[in-house]
Each structure stands twice: as C-alpha cells, then as structure tokens.
Coordinates of all heavy atoms in Angstrom, one line a residue:
Q1228 N 44.4 -285.3 -79.0 CA 44.8 -286.7 -79.4 C 45.6 -286.8 -80.6 O 46.2 -287.8 -81.0 CB 43.6 -287.6 -79.5 CG 42.7 -287.7 -78.3 CD 43.5 -288.2 -77.1 OE1 44.3 -289.1 -77.2 NE2 43.2 -287.7 -75.9
R1229 N 45.7 -285.6 -81.3 CA 46.4 -285.5 -82.6 C 46.0 -286.6 -83.6 O 46.8 -287.4 -84.2 CB 47.9 -285.6 -82.4 CG 48.5 -284.5 -81.6 CD 50.0 -284.3 -81.7 NE 50.4 -283.1 -81.0 CZ 51.7 -282.6 -81.0 NH1 52.6 -283.4 -81.5 NH2 52.0 -281.5 -80.4
K1230 N 44.7 -286.7 -83.7 CA 44.1 -287.6 -84.6 C 43.6 -287.0 -85.9 O 43.6 -285.7 -86.0 CB 42.9 -288.4 -84.0 CG 43.3 -289.3 -82.8 CD 42.1 -290.0 -82.2 CE 42.6 -290.9 -81.1 NZ 41.4 -291.7 -80.5
G1231 N 43.3 -287.7 -86.9 CA 42.7 -287.2 -88.1 C 43.9 -286.9 -89.1 O 45.1 -286.9 -88.7
K1232 N 43.6 -286.6 -90.3 CA 44.5 -286.3 -91.4 C 44.4 -284.9 -91.9 O 45.3 -284.5 -92.6 CB 44.4 -287.3 -92.5 CG 44.8 -288.8 -92.1 CD 44.8 -289.7 -93.3 CE 45.1 -291.1 -92.9 NZ 45.2 -292.1 -94.0
N1233 N 43.4 -284.2 -91.5 CA 43.2 -282.9 -92.1 C 43.7 -281.8 -91.2 O 43.0 -280.9 -90.6 CB 41.7 -282.6 -92.3 CG 41.4 -281.4 -93.1 OD1 42.3 -281.0 -93.9 ND2 40.3 -280.8 -92.9
N1234 N 45.0 -281.9 -90.8 CA 45.7 -280.9 -90.1 C 47.1 -280.7 -90.7 O 47.6 -281.5 -91.4 CB 45.7 -281.3 -88.6 CG 46.5 -282.6 -88.3 OD1 47.7 -282.6 -88.4 ND2 45.8 -283.7 -88.1
V1235 N 47.7 -279.5 -90.4 CA 48.9 -279.2 -91.0 C 50.1 -280.1 -90.6 O 50.8 -280.5 -91.5 CB 49.3 -277.7 -90.5 CG1 50.7 -277.3 -91.1 CG2 48.3 -276.7 -90.8
F1236 N 50.1 -280.6 -89.4 CA 51.2 -281.5 -89.0 C 51.3 -282.8 -89.8 O 52.3 -283.2 -90.3 CB 51.0 -281.8 -87.5 CG 52.1 -282.7 -86.9 CD1 53.4 -282.3 -87.0 CD2 51.7 -283.8 -86.1 CE1 54.4 -283.1 -86.5 CE2 52.7 -284.6 -85.6 CZ 54.0 -284.3 -85.8
I1237 N 50.1 -283.4 -89.9 CA 50.0 -284.7 -90.6 C 50.3 -284.5 -92.1 O 51.0 -285.2 -92.7 CB 48.6 -285.3 -90.5 CG1 48.4 -285.8 -89.0 CG2 48.5 -286.5 -91.4 CD1 49.4 -286.8 -88.5
K1238 N 49.8 -283.3 -92.7 CA 50.0 -283.1 -94.1 C 51.5 -282.8 -94.4 O 52.0 -283.2 -95.4 CB 49.1 -281.8 -94.5 CG 47.6 -282.1 -94.6 CD 46.9 -280.9 -95.0 CE 45.4 -281.2 -95.0 NZ 45.1 -282.1 -96.2
L1239 N 52.2 -282.1 -93.4 CA 53.6 -281.9 -93.6 C 54.4 -283.2 -93.7 O 55.3 -283.4 -94.5 CB 54.1 -281.0 -92.5 CG 53.8 -279.5 -92.6 CD1 54.3 -278.8 -91.3 CD2 54.5 -278.9 -93.8
K1240 N 54.0 -284.1 -92.7 CA 54.7 -285.4 -92.6 C 54.5 -286.2 -93.9 O 55.4 -286.9 -94.4 CB 54.3 -286.2 -91.4 CG 54.7 -285.5 -90.1 CD 54.8 -286.5 -89.0 CE 53.4 -287.0 -88.6 NZ 53.5 -287.8 -87.3
E1241 N 53.2 -286.1 -94.4 CA 53.0 -286.9 -95.7 C 53.7 -286.3 -96.9 O 54.2 -287.1 -97.7 CB 51.5 -286.9 -95.9 CG 50.6 -287.7 -94.9 CD 49.1 -287.6 -95.1 OE1 48.7 -286.7 -95.9 OE2 48.4 -288.4 -94.5
T1242 N 53.8 -285.0 -96.9 CA 54.4 -284.4 -98.1 C 55.9 -284.6 -98.0 O 56.6 -284.9 -99.0 CB 54.2 -282.8 -98.1 OG1 52.8 -282.6 -98.2 CG2 54.8 -282.2 -99.3
L1243 N 56.5 -284.5 -96.8 CA 58.0 -284.7 -96.6 C 58.3 -286.2 -96.7 O 59.5 -286.5 -96.8 CB 58.4 -284.1 -95.3 CG 58.2 -282.6 -95.2 CD1 58.5 -282.2 -93.7 CD2 59.2 -281.9 -96.1
N1244 N 57.3 -287.0 -96.5 CA 57.5 -288.5 -96.5 C 58.4 -289.0 -95.4 O 59.3 -289.9 -95.6 CB 58.0 -289.0 -97.9 CG 58.0 -290.5 -98.0 OD1 57.1 -291.2 -97.4 ND2 58.9 -291.0 -98.8
R1245 N 58.3 -288.4 -94.2 CA 59.1 -288.8 -93.1 C 58.5 -288.2 -91.8 O 57.7 -287.3 -91.9 CB 60.6 -288.4 -93.2 CG 60.8 -286.9 -93.4 CD 62.3 -286.6 -93.6 NE 62.5 -285.2 -93.8 CZ 62.7 -284.3 -92.9 NH1 62.6 -284.6 -91.6 NH2 62.9 -283.0 -93.2
D1246 N 59.1 -288.6 -90.7 CA 58.5 -288.1 -89.4 C 59.2 -286.8 -89.1 O 60.4 -286.6 -89.3 CB 58.8 -289.2 -88.3 CG 58.1 -288.8 -87.0 OD1 57.0 -288.1 -87.1 OD2 58.5 -289.3 -86.0
I1247 N 58.5 -285.9 -88.5 CA 59.0 -284.7 -87.9 C 58.3 -284.5 -86.5 O 57.3 -285.2 -86.3 CB 58.8 -283.4 -88.7 CG1 57.3 -283.2 -89.0 CG2 59.5 -283.5 -90.0 CD1 57.0 -281.8 -89.7
L1248 N 58.8 -283.7 -85.7 CA 58.3 -283.6 -84.3 C 57.3 -282.4 -84.3 O 57.5 -281.4 -85.0 CB 59.4 -283.3 -83.3 CG 60.5 -284.3 -83.3 CD1 61.5 -283.9 -82.2 CD2 60.1 -285.7 -83.1
G1249 N 56.1 -282.6 -83.6 CA 55.2 -281.6 -83.5 C 55.3 -280.9 -82.2 O 55.0 -281.5 -81.1
M1250 N 55.7 -279.6 -82.2 CA 55.9 -278.9 -80.9 C 54.8 -277.9 -80.7 O 54.8 -276.8 -81.3 CB 57.3 -278.2 -81.0 CG 58.4 -279.1 -81.4 SD 58.6 -280.6 -80.6 CE 59.0 -280.0 -78.9
G1251 N 53.8 -278.2 -79.9 CA 52.8 -277.3 -79.5 C 53.3 -276.2 -78.6 O 54.3 -276.3 -78.0
C1252 N 52.5 -275.2 -78.5 CA 52.9 -274.0 -77.7 C 52.6 -274.3 -76.2 O 51.4 -274.2 -75.9 CB 52.3 -272.7 -78.2 SG 52.9 -271.3 -77.2
Y1253 N 53.5 -274.5 -75.4 CA 53.3 -274.8 -74.0 C 52.9 -273.5 -73.1 O 52.3 -273.7 -72.1 CB 54.5 -275.5 -73.4 CG 54.4 -277.0 -73.5 CD1 54.7 -277.6 -74.7 CD2 53.9 -277.8 -72.5 CE1 54.6 -279.0 -74.9 CE2 53.8 -279.2 -72.7 CZ 54.2 -279.8 -73.9 OH 54.1 -281.1 -74.1
A1254 N 53.2 -272.4 -73.7 CA 52.7 -271.1 -72.9 C 51.2 -271.1 -72.9 O 50.6 -270.8 -71.9 CB 53.3 -269.9 -73.6
H1255 N 50.6 -271.5 -74.1 CA 49.2 -271.6 -74.2 C 48.7 -272.7 -73.3 O 47.6 -272.6 -72.6 CB 48.7 -271.8 -75.6 CG 48.8 -270.6 -76.5 ND1 50.0 -270.4 -77.3 CD2 48.0 -269.6 -76.7 CE1 49.8 -269.2 -77.9 NE2 48.6 -268.8 -77.6
I1256 N 49.3 -273.8 -73.2 CA 48.9 -275.0 -72.5 C 48.8 -274.6 -71.0 O 47.8 -274.9 -70.3 CB 49.8 -276.2 -72.8 CG1 49.6 -276.7 -74.2 CG2 49.5 -277.3 -71.7 CD1 50.5 -277.8 -74.6
I1257 N 49.9 -274.0 -70.5 CA 49.9 -273.6 -69.0 C 48.8 -272.7 -68.7 O 48.2 -272.7 -67.7 CB 51.3 -273.1 -68.7 CG1 52.4 -274.2 -68.9 CG2 51.3 -272.6 -67.3 CD1 53.8 -273.7 -68.7
H1258 N 48.7 -271.7 -69.6 CA 47.6 -270.7 -69.5 C 46.3 -271.3 -69.4 O 45.4 -271.0 -68.6 CB 47.7 -269.6 -70.6 CG 46.6 -268.7 -70.7 ND1 45.5 -268.9 -71.6 CD2 46.2 -267.6 -70.0 CE1 44.6 -267.9 -71.4 NE2 45.0 -267.1 -70.4
N1259 N 46.0 -272.2 -70.4 CA 44.7 -272.9 -70.4 C 44.4 -273.8 -69.2 O 43.3 -274.0 -68.9 CB 44.6 -273.6 -71.7 CG 44.5 -272.7 -73.0 OD1 44.2 -271.5 -72.8 ND2 44.8 -273.3 -74.1
S1260 N 45.5 -274.3 -68.6 CA 45.3 -275.2 -67.5 C 44.7 -274.4 -66.3 O 43.8 -275.0 -65.6 CB 46.6 -275.8 -67.1 OG 47.5 -274.9 -66.5
I1261 N 45.1 -273.2 -66.1 CA 44.6 -272.4 -65.0 C 43.2 -272.0 -65.3 O 42.3 -271.8 -64.4 CB 45.5 -271.2 -64.6 CG1 45.2 -270.7 -63.2 CG2 45.4 -270.1 -65.6 CD1 45.8 -271.6 -62.2
Q1262 N 42.9 -271.7 -66.6 CA 41.5 -271.3 -67.0 C 40.6 -272.5 -66.8 O 39.5 -272.3 -66.3 CB 41.6 -270.9 -68.5 CG 41.9 -269.4 -68.7 CD 41.6 -269.0 -70.1 OE1 41.6 -269.8 -71.1 NE2 41.2 -267.7 -70.2
C1263 N 41.0 -273.7 -67.2 CA 40.2 -274.9 -67.0 C 39.9 -275.1 -65.5 O 38.8 -275.4 -65.1 CB 40.9 -276.1 -67.6 SG 40.2 -277.7 -67.3
A1264 N 41.0 -275.0 -64.7 CA 40.8 -275.3 -63.3 C 39.9 -274.2 -62.6 O 39.1 -274.6 -61.7 CB 42.2 -275.3 -62.6
S1265 N 40.0 -273.0 -63.0 CA 39.2 -271.9 -62.3 C 37.7 -272.1 -62.6 O 36.9 -271.5 -61.9 CB 39.7 -270.6 -62.8 OG 39.5 -270.4 -64.2
D1266 N 37.4 -272.8 -63.6 CA 35.9 -273.0 -63.9 C 35.2 -273.8 -62.9 O 34.0 -273.8 -62.8 CB 35.8 -273.7 -65.3 CG 36.1 -272.8 -66.5 OD1 36.1 -271.6 -66.3 OD2 36.4 -273.3 -67.6
C1267 N 35.9 -274.5 -62.0 CA 35.3 -275.3 -61.0 C 35.0 -274.5 -59.7 O 34.3 -274.9 -58.9 CB 36.2 -276.5 -60.6 SG 37.6 -276.1 -59.5
L1268 N 35.6 -273.3 -59.6 CA 35.4 -272.4 -58.5 C 33.9 -271.9 -58.4 O 33.3 -271.8 -59.5 CB 36.3 -271.3 -58.5 CG 37.9 -271.6 -58.5 CD1 38.7 -270.4 -58.4 CD2 38.2 -272.6 -57.3
P1269 N 33.4 -271.7 -57.2 CA 32.0 -271.2 -57.1 C 31.8 -269.8 -57.7 O 30.6 -269.4 -57.8 CB 31.8 -271.2 -55.6 CG 33.1 -271.1 -55.0 CD 34.1 -271.8 -55.9
I1270 N 32.8 -269.1 -58.0 CA 32.6 -267.8 -58.6 C 33.4 -267.7 -59.9 O 34.6 -268.1 -60.0 CB 33.2 -266.7 -57.6 CG1 32.4 -266.7 -56.3 CG2 33.1 -265.2 -58.2 CD1 32.9 -265.8 -55.2
D1271 N 32.8 -267.1 -60.9 CA 33.5 -266.9 -62.2 C 34.3 -265.6 -62.1 O 33.9 -264.6 -62.5 CB 32.5 -266.8 -63.3 CG 33.1 -266.8 -64.7 OD1 34.4 -266.7 -64.8 OD2 32.4 -266.8 -65.7
I1272 N 35.5 -265.8 -61.5 CA 36.3 -264.6 -61.2 C 36.8 -263.9 -62.5 O 36.9 -262.7 -62.5 CB 37.5 -265.1 -60.3 CG1 37.1 -265.5 -59.0 CG2 38.6 -263.9 -60.2 CD1 38.1 -266.1 -58.1
E1273 N 37.1 -264.7 -63.5 CA 37.6 -264.1 -64.7 C 36.5 -263.1 -65.3 O 36.8 -262.0 -65.7 CB 37.9 -265.2 -65.8 CG 38.7 -264.6 -67.0 CD 39.1 -265.7 -67.9 OE1 38.7 -266.9 -67.8 OE2 39.9 -265.4 -68.8
S1274 N 35.2 -263.6 -65.3 CA 34.1 -262.7 -65.8 C 34.0 -261.5 -64.9 O 33.7 -260.4 -65.4 CB 32.9 -263.6 -65.8 OG 31.8 -262.8 -66.1
I1275 N 34.1 -261.7 -63.6 CA 33.9 -260.6 -62.7 C 35.0 -259.5 -62.9 O 34.7 -258.3 -62.9 CB 34.0 -261.0 -61.2 CG1 32.8 -261.9 -60.8 CG2 34.1 -259.9 -60.2 CD1 31.5 -261.1 -60.9

C-alpha cells in the first residue's frame, strides 16, 4: 500500500521536497506471484 513514513521512498521525497516516482522491482513481483499461487496446490512442490 506504500503507507507510512518510515521508508526510504517517503524520506527521499521529503528531503527533496518534491515528488519522485517509486519503481519497485517487477522481476521479484512476477516471481512472487507464482510462489503465492502455488501455495494453493495440494502438494508443496517447491519444498519437494
């Protein structure tokens, strides 16, 4: 949700006194999406 003030992105914007764009790593996001989805399968294949 990008909430709170105790993170690097918010602190940078406050110090710079202007808006900048926050670009998260989508390689991690895509990877985590398949990990999240595979948790619903009846077998923990990653663990196996």
